[in-house]
């Protein structure tokens, strides 16, 4: 039977499967666009009626019941959702412009998050664009708004401007945040070490998500032999969009100037031993529990390696429950063993 299958059958099958997936994706986007258009029109109609008549909550309850009776298989006509439709039309009053804006590509649940958590139109536009560009899930969108990403992104103190070429320093600065929000690492203080590791393994994906798009895990405790002396970089990532290695050190203590020297040492090693000609310069990111901004500024002025220093947000109880740095890096290694496809291949 297999002899009847042409030699190019497998390639043709894959090509057709791609066409089907693309068509389904396009259809889903069109359905979503039409759904947003419908919801906006319903919301605009409610607003218009409320200008001339007493369309209060009781009327919306009646409208909800009548729409559900007419369209029993359709979802989305609850009184609460009708109120969101009204708010949607109020927030974006120009219907024709929705299709040209990022919000026009978002799922309805994401639009609700924007309406619930943001009042500023410019911030709604900013988070809509980030959502589309980075493919956030609804919980991630909610997290980024709540921990305000627009105030954290690209704000970590660094020496990139002096240690890198101007254009490259601006790119490298974009991948920093201050503070990082790692509250998902919170665990009970009396947990056993193995339980700590298990909990951390469950959260590695959240860690990568908080770092931002483009980060791929390369390794932990990356070994370097320097004329017979052994050194181990804690965590090494590769930013696939900017084509650069990023060395990350996480300290459970307040920033110490010696931390910058240690991280600069590892950045120099990665730059010399691992960086390929097609790669951009390596940078280091130090995540600390607390920092004195003046001490950070002086410490960064004293190193030529490109380094940024960020604080991460944890409550005092969560901070006390956080395990030592070696437990964090071991947890990353366990997750990598379970999901080897997450490793980066920077030489590609």
């Amino acid at each position: 039977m297999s002899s009847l299958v042409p030699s190019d059958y497998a390639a043709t099958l894959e090509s057709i499967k791609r066409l089907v997936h693309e068509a389904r994706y396009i259809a889903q986007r069109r359905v979503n666009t039409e759904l947003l258009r419908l919801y906006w029109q319903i919301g605009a109609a409610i607003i218009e009626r409320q200008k001339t008549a007493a369309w209060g909550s009781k009327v919306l309850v009646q409208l909800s019941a009548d729409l559900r009776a007419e369209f029993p298989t359709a979802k989305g006509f609850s009184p609460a959702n009708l109120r969101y439709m009204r708010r949607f039309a109020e927030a974006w009053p120009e219907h024709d412009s929705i299709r040209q804006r990022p919000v026009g590509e978002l799922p309805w649940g994401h639009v609700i998050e924007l309406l619930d958590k943001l009042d500023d139109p410019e911030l709604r536009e900013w988070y809509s664009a980030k959502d589309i560009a980075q493919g956030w899930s609804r919980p991630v969108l909610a997290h980024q708004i709540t921990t305000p990403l627009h105030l954290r992104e690209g704000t970590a103190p660094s020496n990139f401007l002096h240690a890198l070429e101007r254009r490259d320093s601006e790119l490298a600065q974009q991948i920093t945040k201050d503070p990082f929000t790692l509250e998902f690492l919170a665990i009970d203080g009396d947990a056993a070490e193995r339980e700590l590791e298990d909990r951390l393994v469950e959260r590695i994906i959240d860690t990568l998500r908080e770092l931002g798009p483009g980060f791929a895990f390369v390794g932990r405790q990356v070994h370097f032999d320097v004329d017979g002396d052994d050194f181990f970089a804690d965590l090494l990532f590769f930013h696939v969009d900017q084509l650069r290695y990023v060395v990350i050190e996480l300290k459970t203590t307040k920033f110490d100037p010696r931390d910058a020297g240690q991280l600069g040492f590892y950045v120099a090693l990665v730059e010399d031993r691992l960086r390929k000609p097609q790669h951009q310069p390596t940078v280091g990111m130090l995540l600390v529990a607390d920092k004195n901004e003046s001490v950070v500024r002086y410490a960064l002025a004293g190193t030529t390696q490109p380094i940024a220093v960020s604080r991460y947000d944890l409550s005092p109880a969560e901070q006390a429950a956080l395990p030592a740095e070696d437990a964090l890096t071991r947890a990353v290694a366990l997750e990598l063993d379970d999901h080897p496809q997450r490793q980066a291949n920077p030489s590609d």
Side-chain angles (χ1 to χ4, degrees):
M1 185 69 178
S2 59
S3 61
L4 300 178
V5 178
S7 59
D8 62 349
Y9 173 80
T12 303
L13 175 61
E14 289 303 314
S15 176
I16 293 174
K17 287 162 68 174
R18 282 195 299 271
L19 291 174
V20 173
H21 285 301
E22 290 171 2
R24 293 178 63 182
Y25 174 71
I26 293 172
Q28 289 170 354
R29 288 191 59 180
R30 287 177 178 171
V31 169
N32 184 71
T33 299
E34 289 304 313
L35 181 65
L36 290 181
R37 178 172 175 269
L38 171 64
Y39 284 178
W40 188 94
Q41 290 174 322
I42 293 174
I46 294 173
I47 292 172
E48 189 64 28
R49 299 301 179 274
Q50 288 179 332
K51 291 179 180 178
T52 58
W55 273 58
S57 59
K58 291 183 178 179
V59 178
L60 291 184
V61 170
Q62 182 62 50
L63 178 62
S64 170
D66 290 339
L67 288 173
R68 286 169 160 175
E70 180 67 22
F71 308 103
T73 60
K75 298 180 180 180
F77 292 134
S78 68
N81 216 36
L82 291 176
R83 285 191 285 271
Y84 277 121
M85 295 177 201
R86 180 184 59 197
R87 292 176 60 189
F88 180 40
E90 288 174 340
W92 285 274
E94 299 178 6
H95 175 247
D96 291 340
S97 67
I98 292 178
R99 293 188 179 186
Q100 283 74 48
R101 292 181 176 179
V103 69
E105 300 181 41
L106 293 178
W108 179 240
H110 292 224
V111 176
I112 289 176
E113 293 295 336
L114 295 173
L115 294 172
D116 275 346
K117 293 181 170 57
L118 295 169
D119 296 323
D120 188 323
E122 292 186 3
L123 285 181
R124 284 173 176 162
E125 290 295 311
W126 191 87
Y127 280 98
S128 297
K130 284 287 183 181
D131 193 343
I132 293 299
Q134 300 181 11
W136 290 338
S137 65
R138 182 174 176 175
V140 171
L141 172 62
H143 167 80
Q144 301 293 23
I145 295 174
T146 303
T147 61
L149 178 64
H150 67 283
L151 298 179
R152 300 186 293 117
E153 189 172 70
T155 59
S158 73
N159 63 352
F160 292 166
L161 186 60
H162 305 292
L164 301 169
E165 296 293 332
R166 181 175 181 81
R167 180 180 178 278
D168 196 37
S169 71
E170 293 173 351
L171 284 174
Q173 189 68 38
Q174 290 174 10
I175 65 176
T176 71
K177 294 178 185 175
D178 190 28
F180 280 87
T181 58
L182 303 182
E183 67 271 11
F184 48 79
L185 293 181
I187 39 190
D188 296 332
D190 58 354
E193 181 175 311
R194 180 64 187 178
E195 183 180 351
L196 298 182
E197 291 186 2
D198 290 342
R199 292 289 297 275
L200 286 168
V201 167
E202 295 172 1
R203 299 302 187 184
I204 291 303
I205 294 176
D206 292 321
T207 303
L208 290 173
R209 184 182 295 122
E210 174 59 17
L211 288 177
F215 279 91
F217 185 77
V218 176
R220 48 83 58 177
Q221 293 296 304
V222 180
H223 175 246
F224 295 96
D225 183 329
V226 182
D227 293 336
D229 289 337
D230 295 319
F231 296 94
F232 300 87
D234 277 353
L235 298 173
L236 184 61
F237 293 83
F238 191 80
H239 199 281
V240 295
D241 294 329
Q242 295 193 14
L243 295 179
R244 74 169 81 247
Y245 282 104
V246 181
V247 185
I248 295 182
E249 293 267 321
L250 191 149
K251 299 293 183 182
T252 59
T253 55
K254 187 175 182 179
F255 173 78
D256 186 303
R258 290 171 293 185
D259 297 334
Q262 180 188 34
L263 180 56
F265 175 73
Y266 288 128
V267 169
L269 282 174
V270 172
E271 184 76 357
D272 181 62
R273 304 286 181 87
L274 300 181
R275 180 189 173 192
K276 300 292 193 300
Q278 67 269 30
H279 294 164
Q280 298 301 313
T282 304
V283 299
M285 295 172 60
L286 184 66
L287 276 61
V288 296
D290 195 10
K291 58 185 169 72
N292 180 314
E293 298 293 343
S294 296
V295 173
V296 170
R297 185 171 65 254
Y298 283 119
L300 294 182
T303 179
T304 59
Q305 297 299 335
I307 293 174
V309 180
S310 298
R311 183 176 58 84
Y312 55 83
D313 270 344
L314 289 175
S315 71
E318 292 167 343
Q319 177 63 34
L322 193 68
E325 290 92 342
D326 59 346
L328 292 173
T329 54
R330 284 200 304 274
V332 176
L334 288 173
E335 174 70 358
L336 185 62
D337 289 341
D338 290 339
H339 303 279
Q341 69 273 20
R342 292 202 185 109
Q343 296 186 59
N345 189 1
S347 61
D348 288 347

